[in-house]
């Protein structure tokens, strides 16, 4: 077994263990492999190992990589990074889901970028820190943003996304995300996704109800120089 295959299967075992510990079915949890800073060849290796959900956090890298592996047409690309409004069109062309919608103007730009009758999956990114500018809407503004997204017919509101703060126990941060997720699901019952959990905190995220984990380095190995 390659190192990559071994790391992938070790993570999947840990996801299954964490799910069982939380009384959840591992089959209801989607593991997205974050491939940022790694070459498209890694995406190809992951695909050969059965990975179908991949994540990128920068538009240019997303655009370049999706073009390089466009023959792998059953991959689903998740955009998880902070997005500039003027990149919305490029993001929409390359991504199947955008986890990082954190303001009305970005939702509007993604909606305007629809060039056919496709529907883009989007999540409201919630800022779990008290610093503005960290990416994400403050929890108290999340429902308003969700309502706005629901008014845009080319977007499908799927749920919420967050990154745990560095200076807080992830379990308590994810509990706040869960409360926001529940509030949004009360508005739109089909918005069931909770995108949370990275290499260092996916067990806590699973405990808090995460449906989509975004795992990078534990699977891909350390990221090459950001150059
Ligand atoms: C890089 C990144 C991840 C994955 O991080 P790891 O710690 O390598 O698992 C998850 N979410 C976001 C938003 C990221 O930018």
């Amino acid at each position: 077994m390659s190192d990559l295959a071994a790391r992938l299967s070790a993570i999947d075992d840990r996801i299954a263990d964490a799910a069982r510990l939380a009384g959840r079915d591992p089959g209801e949890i989607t593991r997205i492999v974050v491939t940022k800073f790694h070459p498209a060849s890694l995406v190809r290796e992951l695909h050969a190992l059965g990975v179908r959900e991949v994540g990128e956090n920068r538009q240019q890298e997303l655009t370049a990589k999706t073009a390089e592996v466009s023959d792998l047409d059953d991959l689903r690309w998740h955009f998880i990074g902070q997005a500039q409004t003027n990149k919305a069109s490029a993001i929409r062309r390359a991504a199947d889901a955008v986890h990082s919608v954190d303001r009305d103007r970005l939702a509007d730009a993604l909606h305007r970028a629809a060039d056919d009758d496709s529907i883009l999956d989007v999540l409201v990114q919630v800022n779990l820190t008290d610093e503005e500018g960290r990416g994400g809407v403050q929890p108290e503004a999340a429902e308003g943003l969700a309502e706005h997204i629901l008014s845009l017919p080319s977007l499908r509101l799927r749920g919420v996304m967050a990154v745990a703060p560095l200076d807080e126990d992830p379990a308590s941060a994810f509990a706040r995300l869960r409360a926001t997720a529940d509030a949004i699901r009360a508005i739109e019952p089909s918005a069931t996704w909770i995108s949370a959990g990275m290499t260092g905190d996916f067990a806590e995220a699973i405990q808090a109800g995460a449906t989509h984990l975004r795992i990078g380095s534990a699977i891909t190995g350390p990221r090459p120089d950001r150059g």
Side-chain angles (χ1 to χ4, degrees):
M1 208 198 280
S2 70
D3 289 351
L4 183 64
R7 286 193 299 263
L8 184 64
S9 92
I11 288 295
D12 285 348
D13 288 348
R14 286 174 56 196
I15 292 171
D17 287 346
R20 278 189 288 269
L21 200 65
R24 298 182 57 200
D25 173 2
E28 70 187 30
I29 296 170
T30 301
R31 173 256 296 127
I32 298 164
V33 182
V34 178
T35 50
K36 65 186 184 198
F37 304 117
H38 288 279
S41 57
L42 182 85
V43 176
R44 241 175 236 296
E45 288 177 60
L46 288 164
H47 185 270
L49 295 170
V51 170
R52 294 295 178 269
E53 312 280 336
V54 288
E56 287 290 333
N57 73 334
R58 296 188 303 182
Q59 174 269 319
Q60 280 185 309
E61 193 174 345
L62 171 75
T63 299
K65 234 176 261 183
T66 50
E68 280 182 79
V69 298
S70 60
D71 54 306
L72 306 178
D73 56 10
D74 56 353
L75 279 174
R76 282 185 53 82
W77 291 89
H78 298 259
F79 185 75
I80 62 175
Q82 280 187 266
Q84 288 168 263
T85 306
N86 63 0
K87 300 290 172 56
S89 179
I91 292 169
R92 177 154 194 155
R93 273 196 302 278
D96 298 290
V98 177
H99 291 224
S100 42
V101 177
D102 61 0
R103 57 201 188 278
D104 288 1
R105 282 188 56 236
L106 178 57
D108 292 337
L110 287 167
H111 171 61
R112 274 197 311 273
D115 51 10
D116 51 25
D117 54 10
S118 68
I119 308 281
L120 179 70
D121 286 337
V122 299
L123 289 85
V124 169
Q125 183 178 353
V126 180
N127 182 354
L128 299 175
T129 74
D130 43 25
E131 291 164 61
E132 298 286 338
R134 289 286 273 158
V137 64
Q138 289 296 327
E140 55 276 16
E143 287 168 74
L145 176 54
E147 301 266 17
H148 185 72
I149 291 169
L150 289 168
S151 76
L152 302 172
S154 79
L155 305 182
R156 175 164 46 207
L157 178 66
R158 284 298 204 170
V160 296
M161 176 273 219
V163 176
L166 294 172
D167 57 357
E168 183 185 352
D169 166 27
S172 68
F174 289 145
R176 291 202 299 289
L177 179 65
R178 176 59 184 268
T180 304
D182 290 346
I184 287 180
R185 210 172 39 188
I187 303 171
E188 175 49 59
S190 70
T192 55
W193 294 14
I194 301 178
S195 166
M198 313 183 4
T199 289
D201 57 22
F202 66 82
E204 289 89 345
I206 290 170
Q207 189 71 44
T211 62
H212 290 66
L213 314 176
R214 307 177 311 269
I215 303 184
S217 46
I219 294 171
T220 61
R223 285 185 271 275
D225 273 353
R226 300 174 180 218

